[in-house]
Amino acid sequence: MARATGRVLALALAASALIAARGPEQWEIPVGAPGGPADIAQGFDPPDQPWQAGHRGVDLRAPGGSEVRAAGSGEVTYAGLLAGRGVVVVQHGDVRTTYEPVDPVVTVGSTVSAGEQIGVVAEIGSHCAPDSCLHWGAIDGDTYVDPLTLVDTVTREIRLLPLGDRALTEEPPPPPDPPSADTTLGWPVADPYVTSPYGMRTHPVTGERKLHDGTDFRAACGNPIRASAAGEVSGLGNRGAYGLQITIDHGSVGGTALTTSYSHLSRFGVAHGQPVAKGEVIGWAGTTGLSTGCHLHFMVYTDGSLTDPMSQLPNNGTAARKQTHALGR
Protein backbone atom coordinates (compact mmCIF):
# COMPACT_ATOMS: atom_id res chain seq x y z
CA MET A 1 0.00 0.00 0.00
CA ALA A 2 2.85 2.35 0.92
CA ARG A 3 4.52 1.52 -2.41
CA ALA A 4 1.29 2.30 -4.32
CA THR A 5 0.82 5.58 -2.45
CA GLY A 6 4.43 6.50 -3.08
CA ARG A 7 4.08 5.75 -6.81
CA VAL A 8 0.99 7.96 -7.14
CA LEU A 9 2.77 10.73 -5.25
CA ALA A 10 5.81 10.38 -7.52
CA LEU A 11 3.59 10.63 -10.62
CA ALA A 12 1.90 13.74 -9.27
CA LEU A 13 5.23 15.38 -8.38
CA ALA A 14 6.73 14.47 -11.76
CA ALA A 15 3.75 15.96 -13.62
CA SER A 16 3.91 19.11 -11.50
CA ALA A 17 7.64 19.47 -12.14
CA LEU A 18 7.13 19.05 -15.89
CA ILE A 19 4.45 21.75 -15.92
CA ALA A 20 6.65 24.15 -13.94
CA ALA A 21 9.64 23.62 -16.23
CA ARG A 22 7.95 23.78 -19.62
CA GLY A 23 7.68 27.42 -20.58
CA PRO A 24 4.26 29.13 -20.86
CA GLU A 25 2.45 29.85 -17.60
CA GLN A 26 -0.74 28.53 -19.18
CA TRP A 27 -1.30 25.31 -21.11
CA GLU A 28 -4.59 24.16 -22.55
CA ILE A 29 -6.07 21.11 -24.22
CA PRO A 30 -6.18 22.04 -27.94
CA VAL A 31 -9.67 20.71 -28.76
CA GLY A 32 -12.92 20.39 -26.91
CA ALA A 33 -13.90 22.48 -23.91
CA PRO A 34 -11.12 24.98 -23.09
CA GLY A 35 -11.09 23.82 -19.45
CA GLY A 36 -11.17 20.11 -20.36
CA PRO A 37 -11.66 17.29 -19.80
CA ALA A 38 -9.76 15.72 -22.69
CA ASP A 39 -11.64 13.09 -24.70
CA ILE A 40 -8.78 10.64 -25.27
CA ALA A 41 -9.10 8.12 -28.09
CA GLN A 42 -5.54 6.80 -27.65
CA GLY A 43 -2.97 7.77 -25.06
CA PHE A 44 0.77 8.37 -25.15
CA ASP A 45 2.71 5.13 -25.70
CA PRO A 46 6.29 5.81 -26.79
CA PRO A 47 8.50 2.96 -28.08
CA ASP A 48 11.29 1.46 -25.99
CA GLN A 49 13.79 2.52 -28.64
CA PRO A 50 13.61 5.66 -30.85
CA TRP A 51 13.57 3.63 -34.07
CA GLN A 52 10.68 1.38 -33.02
CA ALA A 53 6.98 1.91 -33.67
CA GLY A 54 4.91 3.59 -30.99
CA HIS A 55 2.35 6.27 -30.31
CA ARG A 56 4.33 9.47 -29.78
CA GLY A 57 1.42 11.69 -28.80
CA VAL A 58 -2.24 11.51 -27.84
CA ASP A 59 -5.31 11.25 -30.06
CA LEU A 60 -8.16 13.49 -28.91
CA ARG A 61 -11.65 12.92 -30.30
CA ALA A 62 -12.96 15.98 -32.15
CA PRO A 63 -15.46 16.40 -35.00
CA GLY A 64 -14.11 17.43 -38.37
CA GLY A 65 -14.24 21.21 -38.73
CA SER A 66 -13.99 21.86 -34.99
CA GLU A 67 -11.57 24.45 -33.67
CA VAL A 68 -7.94 23.55 -32.89
CA ARG A 69 -6.20 25.85 -30.39
CA ALA A 70 -2.55 26.41 -29.47
CA ALA A 71 -1.81 24.48 -26.29
CA GLY A 72 0.53 27.25 -25.13
CA SER A 73 1.96 30.57 -26.23
CA GLY A 74 4.72 30.41 -28.84
CA GLU A 75 5.68 30.84 -32.49
CA VAL A 76 4.32 28.89 -35.46
CA THR A 77 7.29 27.16 -37.15
CA TYR A 78 5.33 25.01 -39.61
CA ALA A 79 1.83 25.23 -41.10
CA GLY A 80 1.07 23.17 -44.18
CA LEU A 81 0.95 19.70 -45.69
CA LEU A 82 3.29 16.96 -44.52
CA ALA A 83 2.97 13.45 -45.93
CA GLY A 84 -0.47 14.35 -47.29
CA ARG A 85 -1.99 15.71 -44.08
CA GLY A 86 -2.16 19.22 -42.66
CA VAL A 87 0.26 19.86 -39.80
CA VAL A 88 0.88 22.82 -37.49
CA VAL A 89 3.97 23.06 -35.27
CA VAL A 90 4.32 25.63 -32.47
CA GLN A 91 7.61 26.31 -30.66
CA HIS A 92 7.38 27.14 -26.94
CA GLY A 93 10.96 27.70 -25.81
CA ASP A 94 12.57 24.25 -25.52
CA VAL A 95 9.29 22.48 -26.20
CA ARG A 96 7.41 22.28 -29.49
CA THR A 97 3.90 20.95 -29.95
CA THR A 98 2.44 19.39 -33.10
CA TYR A 99 -1.15 19.15 -34.32
CA GLU A 100 -2.51 16.96 -37.15
CA PRO A 101 -4.55 16.62 -39.29
CA VAL A 102 -5.31 20.34 -39.32
CA ASP A 103 -6.41 22.89 -41.89
CA PRO A 104 -4.28 25.83 -40.64
CA VAL A 105 -5.55 29.37 -40.17
CA VAL A 106 -2.07 30.61 -39.14
CA THR A 107 1.18 31.08 -41.06
CA VAL A 108 4.82 30.39 -40.28
CA GLY A 109 6.23 33.11 -38.06
CA SER A 110 2.90 33.92 -36.41
CA THR A 111 2.95 34.44 -32.65
CA VAL A 112 0.08 32.71 -30.86
CA SER A 113 -1.14 32.67 -27.29
CA ALA A 114 -2.52 29.73 -25.33
CA GLY A 115 -6.07 29.03 -26.48
CA GLU A 116 -5.76 30.96 -29.74
CA GLN A 117 -7.17 29.20 -32.81
CA ILE A 118 -4.53 27.78 -35.15
CA GLY A 119 -6.80 25.75 -37.43
CA VAL A 120 -9.68 23.31 -37.67
CA VAL A 121 -9.68 19.52 -37.54
CA ALA A 122 -9.25 18.27 -41.11
CA GLU A 123 -11.50 15.61 -42.59
CA ILE A 124 -8.57 13.75 -44.20
CA GLY A 125 -5.63 12.09 -42.44
CA SER A 126 -7.15 11.18 -39.07
CA HIS A 127 -5.29 8.65 -36.89
CA CYS A 128 -8.74 7.46 -35.79
CA ALA A 129 -10.27 6.90 -39.25
CA PRO A 130 -13.11 6.43 -40.00
CA ASP A 131 -13.71 8.57 -36.89
CA SER A 132 -12.29 12.06 -36.52
CA CYS A 133 -9.64 13.11 -34.00
CA LEU A 134 -6.64 15.37 -33.45
CA HIS A 135 -3.18 13.87 -32.95
CA TRP A 136 -1.37 16.14 -30.47
CA GLY A 137 2.34 15.71 -29.85
CA ALA A 138 4.97 17.38 -27.67
CA ILE A 139 8.76 17.23 -28.07
CA ASP A 140 11.20 18.45 -25.43
CA GLY A 141 14.47 18.95 -27.30
CA ASP A 142 14.70 15.64 -29.16
CA THR A 143 12.52 13.64 -26.76
CA TYR A 144 8.81 13.01 -27.18
CA VAL A 145 6.84 13.65 -23.98
CA ASP A 146 3.23 13.07 -23.04
CA PRO A 147 1.52 16.38 -23.97
CA LEU A 148 -1.13 15.85 -21.30
CA THR A 149 1.54 16.36 -18.62
CA LEU A 150 1.79 19.97 -19.79
CA VAL A 151 -1.81 20.69 -18.80
CA ASP A 152 -2.48 21.32 -15.14
CA THR A 153 -5.94 19.70 -15.36
CA VAL A 154 -4.09 16.37 -15.49
CA THR A 155 -2.50 16.90 -12.09
CA ARG A 156 -5.88 17.78 -10.62
CA GLU A 157 -7.04 14.29 -11.57
CA ILE A 158 -4.33 12.74 -9.35
CA ARG A 159 -5.62 12.80 -5.81
CA LEU A 160 -4.10 11.18 -2.70
CA LEU A 161 -6.84 10.12 -0.32
CA PRO A 162 -6.26 10.47 3.44
CA LEU A 163 -5.16 7.29 5.22
CA GLY A 164 -8.04 6.64 7.62
CA ASP A 165 -9.52 3.67 9.48
CA ARG A 166 -11.20 2.37 6.33
CA ALA A 167 -7.88 2.13 4.50
CA LEU A 168 -6.31 0.25 7.40
CA THR A 169 -9.20 -2.19 7.89
CA GLU A 170 -9.89 -2.66 4.15
CA GLU A 171 -13.61 -2.13 4.76
CA PRO A 172 -15.64 -1.29 1.64
CA PRO A 173 -16.04 2.41 0.88
CA PRO A 174 -19.27 4.13 1.92
CA PRO A 175 -22.00 4.26 -0.74
CA PRO A 176 -21.86 7.28 -3.05
CA ASP A 177 -24.20 10.19 -2.56
CA PRO A 178 -27.46 9.69 -4.45
CA PRO A 179 -27.50 11.42 -7.83
CA SER A 180 -29.28 14.73 -8.14
CA ALA A 181 -32.82 14.46 -9.44
CA ASP A 182 -32.15 17.49 -11.65
CA THR A 183 -30.29 16.04 -14.66
CA THR A 184 -31.48 18.51 -17.28
CA LEU A 185 -29.76 21.73 -18.24
CA GLY A 186 -31.66 24.96 -17.83
CA TRP A 187 -32.12 27.58 -20.53
CA PRO A 188 -29.18 30.03 -20.59
CA VAL A 189 -31.41 32.87 -21.83
CA ALA A 190 -34.95 34.05 -21.12
CA ASP A 191 -37.54 33.27 -23.82
CA PRO A 192 -35.19 30.95 -25.77
CA TYR A 193 -35.30 31.49 -29.51
CA VAL A 194 -32.87 29.68 -31.81
CA THR A 195 -31.32 31.78 -34.56
CA SER A 196 -28.81 29.17 -35.79
CA PRO A 197 -28.83 25.47 -34.76
CA TYR A 198 -25.94 23.07 -34.17
CA GLY A 199 -24.60 21.38 -37.33
CA MET A 200 -22.86 22.05 -40.63
CA ARG A 201 -23.49 25.50 -42.11
CA THR A 202 -21.91 28.25 -44.18
CA HIS A 203 -20.37 30.80 -41.81
CA PRO A 204 -22.16 34.16 -42.21
CA VAL A 205 -18.89 36.13 -41.95
CA THR A 206 -16.19 33.96 -43.57
CA GLY A 207 -18.39 32.12 -46.07
CA GLU A 208 -16.65 28.86 -45.09
CA ARG A 209 -18.73 25.70 -44.72
CA LYS A 210 -17.88 24.16 -41.36
CA LEU A 211 -19.36 22.73 -38.19
CA HIS A 212 -21.42 25.21 -36.20
CA ASP A 213 -20.38 23.76 -32.85
CA GLY A 214 -23.17 25.17 -30.72
CA THR A 215 -26.63 26.69 -30.75
CA ASP A 216 -27.13 30.42 -31.25
CA PHE A 217 -29.86 31.98 -29.11
CA ARG A 218 -31.34 35.41 -29.67
CA ALA A 219 -30.15 37.76 -26.92
CA ALA A 220 -30.19 41.54 -27.05
CA CYS A 221 -27.00 43.37 -26.12
CA GLY A 222 -26.69 43.47 -22.35
CA ASN A 223 -29.26 40.75 -21.65
CA PRO A 224 -28.25 38.47 -18.74
CA ILE A 225 -26.78 35.06 -19.53
CA ARG A 226 -27.34 32.35 -16.92
CA ALA A 227 -25.54 29.15 -15.94
CA SER A 228 -27.42 26.14 -17.29
CA ALA A 229 -26.47 24.05 -14.26
CA ALA A 230 -24.52 24.33 -11.04
CA GLY A 231 -20.77 24.00 -11.42
CA GLU A 232 -17.44 25.78 -11.37
CA VAL A 233 -16.03 28.29 -13.85
CA SER A 234 -13.18 26.37 -15.51
CA GLY A 235 -12.39 28.79 -18.34
CA LEU A 236 -12.80 32.52 -18.84
CA GLY A 237 -11.22 34.85 -21.38
CA ASN A 238 -11.14 36.27 -24.88
CA ARG A 239 -11.26 33.25 -27.21
CA GLY A 240 -10.65 34.79 -30.62
CA ALA A 241 -13.61 34.06 -32.91
CA TYR A 242 -15.71 33.14 -29.85
CA GLY A 243 -15.08 36.55 -28.25
CA LEU A 244 -15.51 36.75 -24.48
CA GLN A 245 -16.27 33.19 -23.43
CA ILE A 246 -17.08 31.46 -20.13
CA THR A 247 -16.72 27.70 -19.65
CA ILE A 248 -18.39 25.91 -16.71
CA ASP A 249 -17.53 22.41 -15.51
CA HIS A 250 -20.67 20.79 -14.08
CA GLY A 251 -19.01 17.55 -13.02
CA SER A 252 -21.14 14.42 -13.46
CA VAL A 253 -24.77 15.07 -14.34
CA GLY A 254 -26.89 11.94 -14.68
CA GLY A 255 -23.71 9.87 -14.97
CA THR A 256 -22.25 12.05 -17.76
CA ALA A 257 -19.35 14.52 -17.44
CA LEU A 258 -20.90 17.77 -18.55
CA THR A 259 -19.35 21.10 -19.58
CA THR A 260 -21.02 24.17 -21.07
CA SER A 261 -19.63 27.34 -22.65
CA TYR A 262 -21.12 30.76 -23.38
CA SER A 263 -19.60 32.94 -26.12
CA HIS A 264 -19.71 36.47 -27.63
CA LEU A 265 -20.41 38.02 -24.21
CA SER A 266 -20.06 41.76 -23.64
CA ARG A 267 -18.68 41.31 -20.11
CA PHE A 268 -18.20 38.73 -17.38
CA GLY A 269 -20.10 38.44 -14.12
CA VAL A 270 -17.97 35.66 -12.59
CA ALA A 271 -14.31 34.84 -11.99
CA HIS A 272 -12.18 31.81 -12.86
CA GLY A 273 -12.66 29.02 -10.31
CA GLN A 274 -15.87 30.52 -8.93
CA PRO A 275 -18.71 28.13 -8.05
CA VAL A 276 -22.03 29.05 -9.65
CA ALA A 277 -25.62 27.96 -9.11
CA LYS A 278 -28.06 26.89 -11.79
CA GLY A 279 -29.73 29.99 -13.19
CA GLU A 280 -27.14 32.38 -11.76
CA VAL A 281 -26.20 35.33 -13.99
CA ILE A 282 -22.64 34.72 -15.23
CA GLY A 283 -22.36 37.48 -17.83
CA TRP A 284 -24.16 39.64 -20.34
CA ALA A 285 -24.87 39.16 -24.05
CA GLY A 286 -22.73 40.92 -26.62
CA THR A 287 -21.20 40.63 -30.07
CA THR A 288 -17.50 40.14 -29.27
CA GLY A 289 -15.37 37.93 -31.53
CA LEU A 290 -16.49 36.90 -35.00
CA SER A 291 -20.14 37.87 -34.74
CA THR A 292 -22.72 39.69 -36.85
CA GLY A 293 -24.77 40.95 -33.90
CA CYS A 294 -25.60 40.41 -30.24
CA HIS A 295 -26.53 36.82 -29.41
CA LEU A 296 -25.40 33.85 -27.30
CA HIS A 297 -23.40 30.99 -28.81
CA PHE A 298 -24.07 28.10 -26.40
CA MET A 299 -21.95 24.93 -26.48
CA VAL A 300 -22.29 21.63 -24.61
CA TYR A 301 -19.67 18.90 -24.12
CA THR A 302 -20.69 15.45 -22.81
CA ASP A 303 -17.78 13.29 -21.66
CA GLY A 304 -15.47 15.74 -23.45
CA SER A 305 -17.19 15.55 -26.84
CA LEU A 306 -19.28 18.22 -28.55
CA THR A 307 -23.01 17.57 -28.39
CA ASP A 308 -26.05 19.27 -29.87
CA PRO A 309 -27.07 21.53 -26.94
CA MET A 310 -30.76 21.09 -27.72
CA SER A 311 -30.58 17.41 -26.77
CA GLN A 312 -29.60 18.40 -23.22
CA LEU A 313 -32.16 21.18 -22.71
CA PRO A 314 -35.68 20.81 -21.28
CA ASN A 315 -37.86 18.45 -23.33
CA ASN A 316 -35.01 18.20 -25.84
CA GLY A 317 -35.27 21.91 -26.57
CA THR A 318 -38.91 21.69 -27.62
CA ALA A 319 -39.82 25.29 -26.72
CA ALA A 320 -37.00 26.86 -28.69
CA ARG A 321 -37.45 24.45 -31.61
CA LYS A 322 -41.09 25.51 -31.92
CA GLN A 323 -40.01 29.13 -32.09
CA THR A 324 -37.44 28.28 -34.77
CA HIS A 325 -40.11 26.56 -36.87
CA ALA A 326 -42.45 29.50 -36.44
CA LEU A 327 -39.70 31.79 -37.70
CA GLY A 328 -39.33 29.54 -40.74
CA ARG A 329 -43.01 29.97 -41.59
Side-chain angles (χ1 to χ4, degrees):
M1 182 179 193
R3 287 196 300 272
T5 302
R7 183 172 183 273
V8 173
L9 179 59
L11 286 171
L13 291 175
S16 298
L18 181 60
I19 292 164
R22 290 292 192 265
E25 295 179 0
Q26 180 183 4
W27 292 93
E28 296 191 4
I29 296 168
V31 290
D39 187 359
I40 303 170
Q42 184 173 350
F44 182 67
D45 185 20
D48 293 332
Q49 300 295 335
W51 58 86
Q52 294 177 332
H55 198 246
R56 297 172 172 84
V58 295
D59 290 337
L60 305 177
R61 295 184 183 90
S66 56
E67 181 187 58
V68 178
R69 305 179 295 271
S73 58
E75 181 181 340
V76 177
T77 58
Y78 189 87
L81 289 177
L82 189 64
R85 62 168 61 96
V87 176
V88 174
V89 179
V90 181
Q91 191 76 39
H92 322 268
D94 294 336
V95 174
R96 65 186 183 276
T97 53
T98 62
Y99 314 79
E100 60 177 283
V102 173
D103 292 328
V105 297
V106 291
T107 56
V108 172
S110 301
T111 299
V112 294
S113 56
E116 183 176 340
Q117 184 177 5
I118 58 174
V120 297
V121 176
E123 301 285 352
I124 299 174
S126 172
H127 282 211
C128 308
D131 296 326
S132 177
C133 68
L134 174 77
H135 181 77
W136 178 34
I139 304 102
D140 183 3
D142 294 323
T143 304
Y144 283 88
V145 295
D146 184 349
L148 289 174
T149 57
L150 300 172
V151 185
D152 61 1
T153 52
V154 175
T155 63
R156 290 201 292 269
E157 293 173 2
I158 303 173
R159 297 180 175 90
L160 296 180
L161 301 179
L163 184 63
D165 292 339
R166 180 174 59 81
L168 291 173
T169 61
E170 298 186 357
E171 293 178 2
D177 294 333
S180 169
D182 186 2
T183 59
T184 302
L185 292 178
W187 297 104
V189 295
D191 300 323
Y193 191 113
V194 175
T195 57
S196 185
Y198 176 92
M200 297 300 294
R201 71 165 188 180
T202 300
H203 195 282
V205 176
T206 65
E208 178 185 2
R209 183 165 176 78
K210 59 183 291 189
L211 175 70
H212 185 232
D213 53 12
T215 296
D216 287 347
F217 289 106
R218 181 176 62 186
C221 299
N223 276 11
I225 303 301
R226 301 180 183 275
S228 279
E232 181 179 303
V233 178
S234 58
L236 181 148
N238 193 329
R239 301 287 181 181
Y242 292 101
L244 298 184
Q245 182 188 69
I246 294 172
T247 302
I248 300 177
D249 181 0
H250 305 287
S252 179
V253 178
T256 300
L258 198 63
T259 304
T260 57
S261 74
Y262 313 75
S263 300
H264 304 305
L265 305 181
S266 59
R267 56 193 177 99
F268 301 132
V270 291
H272 192 279
Q274 178 179 327
V276 294
K278 183 175 183 177
E280 180 177 343
V281 174
I282 57 173
W284 290 268
T287 185
T288 55
L290 202 59
S291 168
T292 58
C294 286
H295 70 287
L296 172 69
H297 179 72
F298 180 59
M299 300 166 67
V300 175
Y301 299 83
T302 57
D303 291 329
S305 295
L306 277 169
T307 302
D308 183 350
M310 303 300 277
S311 67
Q312 303 295 317
L313 289 163
N315 298 318
N316 289 324
T318 301
R321 287 186 194 277
K322 285 181 179 178
Q323 294 190 9
T324 305
H325 295 159
L327 178 66
R329 291 195 297 269

